[in-house]
Amino acid sequence: MNVRKSKLSYVLLAIAIIFTILLVMVVQTGERLSFDVQVTAVSSELFGSELLHELFIGLNWLGNTMGVGIVAIIFILWLGFFKKDFVGIAVFVFAVAVGNEVNKWLKNTIGRERPDAEHLVEVNSLSFPSGHAMISMILYFMMAYLIIMSLQKSAARWLIGVLAATMILLMGISRIVLGVHYPTDVAAGYTFGFIWVFLCIILYELLLGVLGERRKAKGN
């Protein structure tokens, strides 16, 4: 799988960029969005059980600095000891760490306040885009990509992709149900995260290409 040579990947990137621009423009009007109201109401009705609340509170921790750090460290150890993919480690760390800083900058630049609803978990930053949604997109998308690159069977690749997508989706839903984000915050977290991780995957593939060319040159 070579993302930088895939036409579909660039189509998806273009769609993500356009959608992100539209989201930023709509949010900066400062108006209450009917989309946010309706999606929040539906999400609360579908996922408002006490059991799911406990799950979402757990996901809140998993998407915080500590949770992301633990997941990232485990994955880095796997990449280093079992796959010897040190380029992957470098790009993965860069993607998550810089992506987190980009999210903070976006929040402060756009300056959207959190929803007025009761917050079921503690939050102390601005709202747009959702950090949990953006970082989960970067973290789990990047992990899925690097794992899939090492797999041969298509069934295993599909399984990893579905698991990553499920985690990303649940993380986004949790932010809405817990009352700490508008749905448009989550959508923007996904699109910003997708754009960033796409660029990081391109960087990874370019670095692998450069290393491959150097090895060929040494072999000759």
Side-chain angles (χ1 to χ4, degrees), residues 22-171:
L22 291 175
L23 282 170
V24 172
M25 291 172 63
V26 169
V27 166
Q28 287 189 323
T29 64
E31 297 179 3
R32 187 177 177 84
L33 305 175
S34 60
F35 172 82
D36 282 336
V37 175
Q38 293 171 8
V39 173
T40 298
V42 171
S43 299
S44 298
E45 184 176 345
L46 291 176
F47 307 104
S49 70
E50 185 175 341
L51 179 62
L52 286 175
H53 276 185
E54 293 301 318
L55 170 64
F56 292 150
I57 289 171
L59 287 175
N60 175 70
W61 177 85
L62 194 61
N64 285 338
T65 302
M66 179 69 74
V68 170
I70 291 172
V71 172
I73 288 170
I74 292 171
F75 187 66
I76 288 167
L77 291 174
W78 178 79
L79 281 177
F81 285 104
F82 294 99
K83 295 301 173 183
K84 310 297 182 185
D85 187 358
F86 301 108
V87 174
I89 291 174
V91 174
F92 177 73
V93 171
F94 173 81
V96 176
V98 177
N100 185 57
E101 295 305 311
V102 170
N103 178 260
K104 292 177 183 177
W105 176 80
L106 289 168
K107 283 179 182 287
N108 293 329
T109 300
I110 296 168
R112 189 186 202 185
E113 296 294 333
R114 297 272 181 172
D116 294 332
E118 178 188 2
H119 298 167
L120 300 183
V121 291
E122 183 179 353
V123 287
N124 51 24
S125 63
L126 293 169
S127 195
F128 184 96
S130 165
H132 278 65
M134 183 170 170
I135 298 305
S136 69
M137 173 64 79
I138 296 169
L139 178 69
Y140 295 109
F141 196 120
M142 197 77 197
M143 286 172 62
Y145 168 80
L146 291 170
I147 293 171
I148 287 170
M149 288 287 290
S150 68
L151 298 175
Q152 300 297 324
K153 295 182 179 179
S154 60
R157 291 184 169 191
W158 274 103
L159 176 61
I160 294 299
V162 169
L163 289 174
T166 300
M167 179 60 74
I168 294 167
L169 180 62
L170 287 174
M171 191 68 77

Side-chain angles (χ1 to χ4, degrees), residues 169-188:
L169 180 62
L170 287 174
M171 191 68 77
I173 293 172
S174 74
R175 308 315 287 163
I176 299 169
V177 176
L178 293 174
V180 294
H181 277 294
Y182 297 103
T184 42
D185 297 336
V186 173

Side-chain angles (χ1 to χ4, degrees), residues 184-195:
T184 42
D185 297 336
V186 173
Y190 287 157
T191 56
F192 275 117
F194 177 81
I195 293 167

